[in-house]
Amino acid sequence: MSAPSQFKKDYYAGALMVIVGVAAAYAASGYHLGTLARMGPGFFPCAVGVLLALIGVAIAVSARTDDGPPATTGHGYGQGMPDLRGCACIIAGILAFLLLGEYGGLLPATFAIVFISALGDRGNTVRQAALLALAMCVIAGVVFWWALQLQMPLFRFGG
């Protein structure tokens, strides 16, 4: 009886990725896709959805064919409870990005999401998280504000 070994988290994670990818591709097909030479607004989301679904299939297939011992999750916690600190920090980082993106601008929002999310990893110190967040602010400023000319101010005071 190998019923517990058939319950593999990777299999269900892969299936979930397939569902989300197919849903994203379906939603993007409602927009004009265009061609490779002249991409429409739905091309990139559709391509990302298809890639997500393909990666999900690969993960699910590898989970079904893997007969080795179950791998331990991050930080050697085994198959016990997930690390809620990481989950909470990622959710808090996203919420901070939404709030600061609306009222503070691109750089404060980028700093907040990277800093708070990095604190979810128990291996990071506050200093490491701050340095990573500063580096990502520079990259976000160059890529999104300067190169792509995203219509979001670097700094905004209030709404």
Side-chain angles (χ1 to χ4, degrees):
M1 296 263 170
S2 60
S5 67
Q6 289 177 354
F7 179 73
K8 298 188 182 215
K9 293 179 185 176
D10 287 346
Y11 178 72
Y12 295 109
L16 181 63
M17 287 177 66
V18 170
I19 291 169
V20 171
V22 168
Y26 177 75
S29 68
Y31 297 103
H32 177 66
L33 295 178
T35 64
L36 284 175
R38 296 188 61 92
M39 296 179 200
F43 188 88
F44 184 73
C46 184
V48 170
V50 169
L51 287 174
L52 183 64
L54 291 174
I55 291 170
V57 167
I59 290 172
V61 167
S62 70
R64 281 187 73 96
T65 59
D66 183 26
D67 292 329
T72 59
T73 56
H75 303 289
Y77 292 129
Q79 299 296 327
M81 287 286 295
D83 187 15
L84 296 179
R85 174 182 170 169
C87 294
C89 285
I90 290 172
I91 292 170
I94 293 169
L95 293 175
F97 181 84
L98 291 172
L99 183 70
L100 289 173
E102 180 69 28
Y103 297 107
L106 178 65
L107 293 182
T110 301
F111 185 88
I113 192 169
V114 175
F115 181 75
I116 295 170
S117 297
L119 290 177
D121 183 3
R122 294 184 188 274
N124 285 341
T125 64
V126 173
R127 182 173 184 260
Q128 289 171 331
L131 290 174
L132 178 65
L134 287 173
M136 288 307 298
C137 284
V138 171
I139 291 170
V142 169
V143 171
F144 294 110
W145 188 75
W146 180 74
L148 295 177
Q149 296 181 354
L150 182 72
Q151 296 300 311
M152 183 177 188
L154 289 178
F155 293 99
R156 178 185 306 165
F157 300 102

